[in-house]
Amino acid sequence: MEHELFAVCAPGLEPFTADELRALVVGEVRPEPGGVAFRGGLQVVARANLMLRTATRVLLRLGEFHARDFEQLRKRASRLSFEDCIAPGRAVRISVTCSRSRLRHTGAVAERVHLAIADRLGVEVPVAGPEDAGHQLVLVRLAHDRCTLSLDSSGALLHQRGWRKVAGKAPLRETLAAALLLASGWDGASPLADPFCGSGTIPIEAALLARKLAPGRGRRFAFMDWPGYDAARGARILAEAEAGALDTAPPIQASDRDAGAIEVARANAGAAGVAMDIAFACRAISDFEPPPGTGWIVCNPPYGVRLRGGGDLRDLYARFGAVLRRRCPGWRVALLGADARLLRASELPLEPRASWRNGGLAVEVFTGVVPGAA
């Protein structure tokens, strides 16, 4: 049976999530603000959760209808097939957003939807608290009196791969690191270096991408508790993903001037199973040496907002640009930046490629080629 599905992603990441889905599913893929709509059965739900690198969660859109009063909301919600995804006795948590609708009290909306689920299942449905694990998240969106009901198939957000044992200072979310790599145009076969690696998110995601390792292979998902889930089929989907993985990655180099950050990055890479694919080094940008050959520099340099005051950062960017022009001519570069003035200080020929938000800050991906002969 096919369902209406929606891969939620950070605003700005929709084109990358859509491209990922086109490689995974058959049929139309429709980018929308905040995510990508598509269709599929539980096998597609499983593959999307297992394989998507840039999505935050995967929703099953159970249905939508007009609701102008609470009686109408409860009656029409109770017609939806909650039994396909909520087993009797399983606790639910209901998250509600209301916009330009007659029904504006989110608590009252959640109460009626909870009663509708109990009506449909014919049993009392426990209510989960925000911190309770193992519950089913139900999302209710009311806009212009139209109610959309969705069930979360992911559980923990998809950026929580399971390998980040220790977070460094101002860590980059895994989904954003994956999107940065995709935006860079990296071919997954050429050398890659990150001279501002911090806790290692970019090089770790690069190794997972290059080796075609499923980002969700080490975790559990909410759909695994749905009544219609076939555990044997899920195991086959995971086995297929593992069979497509590669044993080795191209040279990936990660460096940072902070010795503590390098130790954290090494531990995280070990937890991700890619420690042998990444060469870590504690070194300042002035001592940066790329791997042999020509490849990509992909990094998230300091913005001067969360790590420290921005007074000396123009000097840092100027040194960074000078080092790349001297030692990496012909290399492609992709930087995530929040301040165009800092990027101009690098004197690298960079053009904006994509934009999103990182920790509440508006950031852009800038790409270019380091001047000089390849």
Side-chain angles (χ1 to χ4, degrees), residues 35 42 120 137 157 169 174 222 228 258 263 286:
L42 285 186
R120 180 73 186 191
L137 176 62
L157 296 177
K169 299 175 183 177
E174 293 86 336
D258 186 335
E263 290 306 307
S286 55

CSV table of all heavy atoms in Angstrom, one decimal, residues 35 42 120 137 157 169 174 222 228 258 263 286:
chain,number,residue,atom,x,y,z
A,35,GLY,N,10.7,20.9,3.1
A,35,GLY,CA,10.9,19.4,2.8
A,35,GLY,C,10.5,19.0,1.4
A,35,GLY,O,10.4,19.8,0.5
A,42,LEU,N,5.8,1.0,3.0
A,42,LEU,CA,6.7,0.9,4.1
A,42,LEU,C,8.2,0.6,3.7
A,42,LEU,O,9.1,1.0,4.4
A,42,LEU,CB,6.2,-0.2,5.1
A,42,LEU,CG,5.0,0.2,5.9
A,42,LEU,CD1,4.7,-0.9,7.0
A,42,LEU,CD2,5.1,1.6,6.6
A,120,ARG,N,-10.9,5.7,17.1
A,120,ARG,CA,-10.6,4.8,15.9
A,120,ARG,C,-10.0,3.4,16.4
A,120,ARG,O,-10.4,2.4,15.8
A,120,ARG,CB,-9.5,5.5,15.1
A,120,ARG,CG,-9.1,4.7,13.9
A,120,ARG,CD,-10.1,4.7,12.8
A,120,ARG,NE,-9.7,3.8,11.7
A,120,ARG,CZ,-10.4,3.7,10.5
A,120,ARG,NH1,-11.4,4.5,10.3
A,120,ARG,NH2,-10.0,2.9,9.6
A,137,LEU,N,4.9,9.9,17.7
A,137,LEU,CA,4.7,11.3,17.5
A,137,LEU,C,3.6,11.5,16.4
A,137,LEU,O,3.8,11.0,15.3
A,137,LEU,CB,6.0,12.1,17.2
A,137,LEU,CG,5.9,13.6,16.9
A,137,LEU,CD1,5.3,14.3,18.1
A,137,LEU,CD2,7.2,14.1,16.4
A,157,LEU,N,15.5,12.5,15.7
A,157,LEU,CA,15.8,13.2,14.5
A,157,LEU,C,16.9,12.5,13.7
A,157,LEU,O,17.9,12.0,14.3
A,157,LEU,CB,16.2,14.7,14.8
A,157,LEU,CG,15.0,15.5,15.4
A,157,LEU,CD1,15.5,16.9,15.7
A,157,LEU,CD2,13.8,15.5,14.5
A,169,LYS,N,33.1,22.3,20.3
A,169,LYS,CA,32.5,23.7,20.3
A,169,LYS,C,31.8,24.0,19.1
A,169,LYS,O,32.3,23.7,18.0
A,169,LYS,CB,33.7,24.7,20.5
A,169,LYS,CG,34.5,24.5,21.8
A,169,LYS,CD,35.6,25.5,21.8
A,169,LYS,CE,36.5,25.3,23.0
A,169,LYS,NZ,37.7,26.2,23.0
A,174,GLU,N,25.0,17.1,11.5
A,174,GLU,CA,25.4,16.1,10.5
A,174,GLU,C,24.6,16.3,9.2
A,174,GLU,O,25.3,16.2,8.1
A,174,GLU,CB,25.1,14.7,11.1
A,174,GLU,CG,25.9,14.3,12.2
A,174,GLU,CD,25.4,14.7,13.6
A,174,GLU,OE1,24.6,15.7,13.7
A,174,GLU,OE2,25.8,14.1,14.6
A,222,ALA,N,11.1,4.9,14.5
A,222,ALA,CA,9.8,4.7,15.0
A,222,ALA,C,8.9,3.7,14.2
A,222,ALA,O,8.1,3.0,14.8
A,222,ALA,CB,9.1,6.1,15.0
A,228,GLY,N,2.2,-2.8,10.9
A,228,GLY,CA,2.5,-3.4,9.6
A,228,GLY,C,3.9,-3.6,9.3
A,228,GLY,O,4.3,-4.1,8.2
A,258,ASP,N,43.2,22.9,17.6
A,258,ASP,CA,42.8,22.6,18.9
A,258,ASP,C,43.0,21.1,19.1
A,258,ASP,O,42.4,20.3,18.5
A,258,ASP,CB,41.4,22.9,19.1
A,258,ASP,CG,40.9,22.7,20.5
A,258,ASP,OD1,41.4,21.9,21.2
A,258,ASP,OD2,39.9,23.4,20.9
A,263,GLU,N,41.1,15.1,19.4
A,263,GLU,CA,40.8,13.9,20.1
A,263,GLU,C,39.3,13.6,20.1
A,263,GLU,O,38.9,12.4,19.9
A,263,GLU,CB,41.2,14.1,21.6
A,263,GLU,CG,42.7,14.1,21.8
A,263,GLU,CD,43.4,12.9,21.1
A,263,GLU,OE1,43.0,11.8,21.4
A,263,GLU,OE2,44.3,13.1,20.3
A,286,SER,N,48.4,27.8,9.1
A,286,SER,CA,49.6,28.2,8.5
A,286,SER,C,50.5,26.9,8.2
A,286,SER,O,51.4,27.0,7.3
A,286,SER,CB,50.4,29.2,9.3
A,286,SER,OG,50.6,28.6,10.6
